[in-house]
Amino acid sequence: MKIAFKILLFTLLTISTQIGGIVYIVSSLLSKKIKWNFKFKNSVAFIALYLFTTFLIVPYTAPTFGRERVKHTNKIQPTNYLTVLLNRNYVAPKLNILLQKTAKQLKNKNIKIHYLDANFPFINKFPLLPHLSHNDGKKIDLSFLYETEVGTISNKQKSISGYGVFEDPKPNEHNQINVCLKKGYFQYDFPKYITLGSIHKNLVFSNNGNKLFIKTLLKQKDLGKIFIEPHLKHRLELNHKKIRYHGCRAVRHDDHIHVQLQ
């Protein structure tokens, strides 16, 4: 049972952070060499080594694999710092440039770019679950914009994780969510289970803010595709050919914007 638990822990840490499994093995070996015995020695060794690796080793080795951390500015920030802590904040340099140019073009607006999952730092095709395609440095999820009841754009979100609080179709809008669920794609609204809690329930989806945000993204020459739900594409009157439907095999995209390079 002890061996099975260690294998399970190694697997979970690798799936969620990419480097966690290896850090777990190394920290276990190092903790055995620490003569000072105390109750949480293994845990402390793992946490210390994980943080050291995440912030002082990975950022300087990831460029070898063609990736770098999303560059934070006053206009570009993570929605949730767990994204950074779990090493899910790595992109190809061109994607960093795309975000920076978008932020610059929005500098006179009260709009900040808040990003969610991007990619792991190493190895193409290494899956970043639960995403299907975030495995080559060319993809990133961005948070939608919300506004107060009086129409002021806010930089707050409606869930702690940034995922899972959906902007549902209105009665007169096409409901692709029901179409996918009726076809048996049970995972389609899975993000509702990973909100980590709903917050700022008074905020409402900003039609004008999101339309401007997406149109600014569309101006970037290296943009390949944007995924949002069909009812939001129709609501925001966005008919650009680069705005695509992601298909029922993915999860619904009315809680975030999926952006990818060409």
Side-chain angles (χ1 to χ4, degrees):
M1 289 295 293
K2 190 174 182 180
I3 294 173
F5 173 77
K6 288 184 176 181
I7 292 173
L8 177 62
L9 186 57
F10 170 86
T11 303
L12 291 175
L13 288 170
T14 301
I15 288 173
S16 58
T17 70
Q18 193 176 50
I19 68 166
I22 294 174
V23 172
Y24 170 65
I25 291 174
V26 175
S27 67
S28 296
L29 295 173
L30 289 176
S31 66
K32 291 179 181 179
K33 296 182 178 298
I34 300 174
K35 295 181 180 181
W36 181 34
N37 290 316
F38 57 99
K39 187 176 181 180
F40 301 107
K41 182 174 73 170
N42 290 342
S43 298
V44 170
F46 170 76
I47 293 171
L49 185 59
Y50 180 83
L51 293 176
F52 179 82
T53 305
T54 294
F55 295 107
L56 295 176
I57 296 179
V58 173
Y60 301 101
T61 54
T64 306
F65 293 81
R67 303 184 193 180
E68 60 188 21
R69 287 183 293 185
V70 176
K71 295 179 180 178
H72 296 172
T73 68
N74 184 49
K75 286 284 190 177
I76 302 173
Q77 294 289 325
T79 299
N80 187 313
Y81 273 91
L82 271 176
T83 304
V84 176
L85 189 61
L86 298 179
N87 290 291
R88 292 169 168 251
N89 61 322
Y90 283 81
V91 294
K94 281 187 177 182
L95 190 46
N96 249 334
I97 293 171
L98 184 151
L99 294 175
Q100 291 164 9
K101 287 183 176 179
T102 301
K104 185 176 181 180
Q105 291 171 16
L106 292 170
K107 67 179 181 179
N108 294 325
K109 307 293 181 181
N110 184 32
I111 294 176
K112 292 185 178 181
I113 297 175
H114 288 92
Y115 70 89
L116 300 161
D117 283 350
N119 311 264
F120 282 136
F122 309 119
I123 310 171
N124 284 343
K125 305 301 181 183
F126 190 101
L128 186 139
L129 298 177
H131 306 278
L132 296 179
S133 64
H134 289 233
N135 58 18
D136 58 4
K138 296 182 179 181
K139 284 89 176 182
I140 192 168
D141 289 342
L142 305 178
S143 292
F144 278 123
L145 301 173
Y146 298 90
E147 59 186 40
T148 65
E149 295 170 346
V150 296
T152 302
I153 291 179
S154 172
N155 287 305
K156 297 178 180 178
Q157 294 297 308
K158 299 190 70 174
S159 80
I160 293 175
S161 72
Y163 289 106
V165 175
F166 306 119
E167 178 61 20
D168 293 317
K170 296 179 179 179
N172 64 329
E173 294 177 332
H174 175 65
N175 194 325
Q176 184 63 38
I177 295 93
N178 281 347
V179 171
C180 290
L181 292 175
K182 286 179 180 178
K183 287 182 177 180
Y185 293 96
F186 64 90
Q187 88 296 335
Y188 200 66
D189 62 353
F190 171 79
K192 67 185 179 184
Y193 299 113
I194 58 171
T195 64
L196 303 182
S198 297
I199 52 176
H200 306 128
K201 296 182 179 180
N202 61 311
L203 296 179
V204 296
F205 186 83
S206 176
N207 289 338
N208 291 334
N210 285 301
K211 185 173 183 177
L212 174 60
F213 184 22
I214 294 174
K215 280 190 169 183
T216 306
L217 287 166
L218 290 167
K219 292 178 182 178
Q220 313 311 318
K221 64 181 181 63
D222 288 323
L223 179 74
K225 298 176 185 177
I226 287 177
F227 293 156
I228 57 173
E229 282 296 325
H231 68 273
L232 294 182
K233 178 179 178 180
H234 179 265
R235 184 187 304 178
L236 300 178
E237 300 177 336
L238 296 168
N239 299 311
H240 199 285
K241 64 181 180 180
K242 289 188 177 181
I243 301 178
R244 310 281 185 84
Y245 175 58
H246 43 279
C248 286
R249 291 181 62 248
V251 295
R252 59 192 287 185
H253 282 64
D254 51 355
D255 60 343
H256 70 279
I257 306 167
H258 171 98
V259 173
Q260 66 184 64
L261 295 175
Q262 291 178 342

